[in-house]
Amino acid sequence: MNGLTFAAGEATSLDLPPFSTFEDVALWAVLGISLVALVYAYMLVRDVLAKDEGTEKMQQISLAIREGANAYLTRQFKTLSVFVVLLTFVLLLLEAPNFGIRIARSVAFLLGAVFSATVGFVGMGLAVRANVRVASAARRGLRESMTIAFRAGGVAGMFTVGLGLLGATAIFIIFKGDAPLVLFGFGFGGALLAMFMRVGGGIFTKAADVGADLVGKVEQNIPEDDPRNAATIADNVGDNVGDCAGMAADLFESYEVTLVAALILGFVAYQGTGSVVAAVLFPLFVRAIGVITSIIGIEAVKPRSETEHGMKSINRGFVISGIASAVAVFFVSAFYVGDVNTFWAVVIGLVLAAAIHFLTEYYTSTERGPVKEITRATRTGPATTIISGFSIGMESTVYAILTIAAAIGAAFLLGGGDPQLSLYYIALTGMGMLTTVGVIVSMDTYGPISDNAHGIAEMSGGLGEEADRIMAGLDAVGNTTKAITKGLAIATAVLAATSLFGSFRDIIGNVSIDISNPKVLIGLLIGGAVPFLFASLTIRAVGRTAGTVVMEVRDQFRNNPGIMDFSVKPDYARVVDICTKASLRELVTPGILAIVTPIVVGFGLGAIPLGAYLAGAILCGQLLAVMLSNSGGAWDNAKKLIEEGQYGGKNSPAHEAGVIGDTVGDPFKDTAGPALNPLIKVMNLVALLVAASVVTTLEEGNTVVRVTAVVVGLAVLIGALWFSAKSPQADFGGDQTEPAETVGAVA
């Protein structure tokens, strides 16, 4: 199998032989399985909503969170609709075999954006209704409350796999050999919305969280979710718009990106053989298997006793789902594709998912050494706390990238020296990681649901000592599951980007990237720098907005002394509004950076330097993302260990150091770190979409087009950076520098 080398600049279309009756029927069966996922999601919704909502006060708090989250997402979608409509028309200008494909690609882009938004909105919609039900169930025990939380998270998981498989299969049935060209648009729509939702939601949630913690915990010595803190509702709203909506959309687009890469690379690897159709359809069959096994995994997550640790129950569901997937994939590989190596490639992905799962758990769980090390460091102040967390985050990213490298190496060896076949197996490894994506998204959404439930319990006056203990335990597990899913999302981003990189080489021509060429080296360096600038923009946005929140909350405490004795209600809506406006303004510049930079590099330096740019972005993006996510997660759980009674417990010097470490880590783990995943994939997809146009422009010597693209792109990018620097939050909303007078510790 020597593969197929596309002519430079040629669009990727698959010249497939006719399908057999079995294959036609199987495609419709896959489409039916995607609908099964949506039906199961509906059953989960009915099951969760049938649970009781607790006391009237709990319901009022939950309603405030729900209204704030829905209002934010509605305004965010209105803002993003401008980008989506504009890019829908821009895609019509890029090269394709014919104008019909250009139209289909643009429509698919729009559909991908709508599906990505739907996944986030629906998953968050149930999460903000489930939180109060989880809190109420905690009064009756751990098993019921955790089961409700995870099944509620399962709705986002099943919508992710259901809509992802539905869209991809429908496009494949309609367009057959031209499906990859259309799927590029579909994946780009999902990736773009995911990135914007990650950035905007991340800025919102962490600005509110940092502001709430710094004034409430550090200055006023009141609990995290105390109703006297004006930022509390915004904090709980942010958990949903940042994690529920953002992560679901993120994994949705990973789901699509790995699929389209596998379709293309399967055709390239097997082209000219009798197995080419099987190689192209195999990824769709793997996705269908993942729907069924994700349902099995979600059903398996039920604590067996009131004392079983929540993480053990979640791990059980994850492992069962993975094993079931491996068994089913083996039969498809052996008896349909006729190449058992396709099975081993998927298994490598499943093993990689398990390795990243347990590696991330090790570095972020309260039960493990790294978090305990940070907790010990809090005894000597904030500086040692931050130093310890940084070092652990840096260490974790090394082992994460070595694990990913080992998986890529194993997949490459399966190819037996054929580079095209090896790239196909690498793409299947990425698909293997996401076979259990329904369970993975459930794990992530479980985190903010349990966090909100804990907050509702605290704000409503407590539900009793045992219920509060259960809620604290579920919340700590949620921190770990969120860190794990971020680790998995980062790993899938690297594999997806590597697979897309193979597709990129097929489009520009099978060429080598020689970094001794100055242009290529410049592309590599720029690509490595972009993730750092992107992270800087998002972290700075959180810092500025959090500063404004701190000033607002301080003002409310200072100007309304009755807040502390509960005689005056804080103005929660004011903080929600601050976070909403700031996050929607601040998400613009990172988005423009991701879209425009590859275009400037491609038209300015050429297609091969653009490939080097992608290589630099993949490497630096992965290293930075894992470091940020794991250090932030470890700081958060170190704080929680202290709040459980270690080293003096709440309101101790160690606790103050832990809170500061946690607030430093907040934008790391919930804004910049996870937003780097869609950044990497957006830039890869932009490069794929413009690659043919770049090559054609260079071959024709069209200097006017090149110069215009570079000048306009740089002008837009510089303008966006200036726009960010002039943020009205830059002065933290005023000249106030002194904190409100600290009132004594409140139990």
Side-chain angles (χ1 to χ4, degrees):
M1 285 174 283
N2 296 320
L4 172 69
T5 301
F6 291 94
E10 182 182 337
T12 308
S13 185
L14 313 185
D15 185 17
L16 293 170
F19 288 8
S20 67
T21 302
F22 165 77
E23 287 159 345
D24 282 328
V25 171
L27 270 176
W28 286 101
V30 171
L31 195 70
I33 289 174
S34 70
L35 298 177
V36 168
L38 300 178
V39 170
Y40 179 65
Y42 172 72
M43 293 170 59
L44 290 177
V45 170
R46 290 189 60 184
D47 182 46
V48 171
L49 294 183
K51 308 300 181 183
D52 76 277
E53 298 182 75
T55 66
E56 184 178 348
K57 188 171 184 180
M58 292 166 65
Q59 293 176 40
Q60 290 173 351
I61 297 167
S62 178
L63 179 62
I65 295 170
R66 184 161 72 246
E67 289 176 344
N70 288 336
Y72 169 76
L73 274 193
T74 300
R75 289 173 66 174
Q76 184 184 54
F77 290 152
K78 287 180 180 178
T79 301
L80 298 183
S81 64
V82 177
F83 283 92
V84 172
V85 171
L86 178 64
L87 288 172
T88 299
F89 288 103
V90 169
L91 287 175
L92 291 172
L93 304 176
L94 300 179
E95 285 201 13
N98 55 65
F99 194 69
I101 294 299
R102 294 188 186 191
I103 294 174
R105 184 175 59 192
S106 293
V107 172
F109 166 77
L110 190 61
L111 186 66
V114 170
F115 274 17
S116 185
T118 301
V119 166
F121 199 89
V122 170
M124 189 205 73
L126 185 64
V128 294
R129 287 171 172 78
N131 49 23
V132 69
R133 291 167 168 83
V134 173
S136 179
R139 298 177 297 181
R140 298 184 291 275
L142 167 69
R143 297 181 69 190
E144 183 182 352
S145 59
M146 182 171 181
T147 301
I148 294 171
F150 200 84
R151 290 174 73 80
V155 173
M158 298 317 296
F159 260 86
T160 299
V161 297
L163 289 179
L165 189 58
L166 177 66
T169 308
I171 288 171
F172 197 88
I173 289 173
I174 295 169
F175 293 97
K176 290 293 196 306
D178 290 326
L181 294 168
V182 181
L183 282 169
F184 278 145
F186 188 67
F188 182 45
L192 188 71
L193 259 288
M195 185 184 68
F196 278 126
M197 291 171 74
R198 262 300 187 195
V199 172
I203 292 170
F204 184 111
T205 182
K206 292 302 105 179
D209 194 359
V210 171
D213 282 356
L214 288 178
V215 181
K217 287 184 175 182
V218 176
E219 295 181 7
Q220 299 293 336
N221 289 325
I222 58 178
E224 180 172 357
D225 290 296
D226 195 292
R228 292 169 292 184
N229 191 328
T232 299
I233 293 295
D235 184 9
N236 284 279
V237 168
D239 290 335
N240 294 286
V241 299
D243 277 309
C244 292
M247 177 58 86
D250 184 0
L251 287 173
F252 171 82
E253 52 94 6
S254 288
Y255 193 80
E256 294 309 317
V257 167
T258 53
L259 177 61
V260 67
L263 290 175
I264 294 171
L265 294 171
F267 173 75
V268 173
Y270 286 80
Q271 198 266 343
T273 74
S275 300
V276 64
V277 173
V280 171
L281 292 183
F282 178 68
L284 285 170
F285 295 163
V286 172
R287 286 285 183 253
I289 288 168
V291 170
I292 305 302
T293 56
S294 289
I295 293 173
I296 294 171
I298 291 170
E299 290 293 324
V301 180
K302 295 176 181 175
R304 292 176 175 173
S305 70
E306 289 295 324
T307 58
E308 182 179 72
H309 194 275
M311 207 61 233
K312 184 176 180 181
S313 177
I314 291 172
N315 286 341
R316 182 167 57 246
F318 182 80
V319 171
I320 289 173
S321 179
I323 292 173
S325 298
V327 172
V329 168
F330 172 78
F331 284 101
V332 177
S333 297
F335 298 107
Y336 173 60
V337 182
D339 178 7
V340 76
N341 279 347
T342 57
F343 159 74
W344 287 116
V346 173
V347 167
I348 291 170
L350 289 167
V351 172
L352 176 59
I356 294 293
H357 177 114
F358 293 110
L359 187 64
T360 309
E361 181 189 354
Y362 172 75
Y363 279 103
T364 60
S365 172
T366 56
E367 305 291 315
R368 306 293 186 175
V371 169
K372 292 179 179 178
E373 178 183 328
I374 296 173
T375 308
R376 289 193 296 272
T378 62
R379 296 177 298 174
T380 49
T384 50
T385 302
I386 292 171
I387 290 169
S388 178
F390 253 116
S391 64
I392 284 170
M394 289 177 179
E395 177 185 298
S396 70
T397 200
V398 173
Y399 293 115
I401 203 166
L402 289 177
T403 304
I404 295 170
I408 291 174
F412 184 83
L413 290 175
L414 287 176
D418 185 331
Q420 301 289 8
L421 195 56
S422 296
L423 281 171
Y424 177 55
Y425 291 148
I426 291 170
L428 292 182
T429 297
M431 291 198 64
M433 279 202 74
L434 287 172
T435 300
T436 59
V437 72
V439 178
I440 294 170
V441 176
S442 304
M443 288 167 56
D444 185 77
T445 308
Y446 160 86
I449 290 172
S450 59
D451 192 352
N452 271 198
H454 192 199
I456 289 170
E458 201 167 86
M459 291 183 71
S460 61
L463 305 178
E465 185 176 337
E466 180 61 17
D468 287 344
R469 184 191 64 79
I470 289 172
M471 285 290 90
L474 293 180
D475 192 5
V477 170
N479 277 336
T480 301
T481 61
K482 286 190 291 184
I484 289 169
T485 52
K486 289 182 181 93
L488 291 170
I490 293 163
T492 58
V494 173
L495 289 171
T498 303
S499 302
L500 288 173
F501 190 69
S503 303
F504 175 81
R505 288 180 68 245
D506 288 332
I507 293 175
I508 68 170
N510 195 6
V511 295
S512 298
I513 296 177
D514 181 6
I515 61 171
S516 66
N517 182 321
K519 285 186 178 181
V520 176
L521 180 59
I522 291 169
L524 179 70
L525 295 175
I526 295 173
V530 166
F532 286 89
L533 179 56
F534 183 88
S536 169
L537 289 168
T538 53
I539 292 172
R540 184 177 295 170
V542 170
R544 290 193 295 227
T545 310
T548 306
V549 171
V550 166
M551 294 302 179
E552 173 63 28
V553 177
R554 282 178 178 173
D555 279 346
Q556 291 199 29
F557 276 120
R558 178 179 288 105
N559 299 331
N560 301 284
I563 288 177
M564 287 304 293
D565 62 13
F566 297 96
S567 61
V568 175
K569 186 178 179 180
D571 186 354
Y572 302 120
R574 170 66 181 155
V575 181
V576 172
D577 189 58
I578 288 171
C579 294
T580 299
K581 289 179 178 177
S583 61
L584 293 180
R585 185 186 192 280
E586 298 279 8
L587 65 78
V588 172
T589 301
I592 290 175
L593 176 69
I595 296 168
V596 173
T597 311
I599 297 173
V600 172
V601 171
F603 282 98
L605 299 176
I608 297 175
L610 178 57
Y613 168 91
L614 296 178
I618 293 168
L619 174 61
C620 291
Q622 191 279 338
L623 289 169
L624 186 60
V626 174
M627 190 279 289
L628 293 171
S629 294
N630 284 353
S631 58
W635 273 319
D636 194 348
N637 271 346
K639 174 204 68 178
K640 280 186 165 46
L641 265 183
I642 296 170
E643 290 176 345
E644 291 173 5
Q646 296 248 3
Y647 306 123
K650 293 181 180 180
N651 303 322
S652 65
H655 183 229
E656 182 173 333
V659 170
I660 292 172
D662 177 36
T663 53
V664 170
D666 273 336
F668 283 23
K669 68 181 175 66
D670 288 325
T671 308
L676 286 166
N677 314 331
L679 168 76
I680 293 170
K681 287 170 284 188
V682 164
M683 291 195 298
N684 270 269
L685 285 165
V686 170
L688 276 166
L689 289 166
V690 304
S693 298
V694 167
V695 173
T696 301
T697 302
L698 292 174
E699 287 180 345
E700 294 176 352
N702 197 332
T703 305
V704 174
V705 172
R706 290 187 64 190
V707 171
T708 301
V710 172
V711 171
V712 172
L714 286 174
V716 170
L717 189 55
I718 292 169
L721 292 171
W722 177 86
F723 176 78
S724 176
K726 294 297 181 181
S727 168
Q729 277 77 39
D731 64 355
F732 291 173
D735 298 324
Q736 182 193 135
T737 56
E738 295 300 321
E741 182 181 355
T742 300
V743 181
V746 179

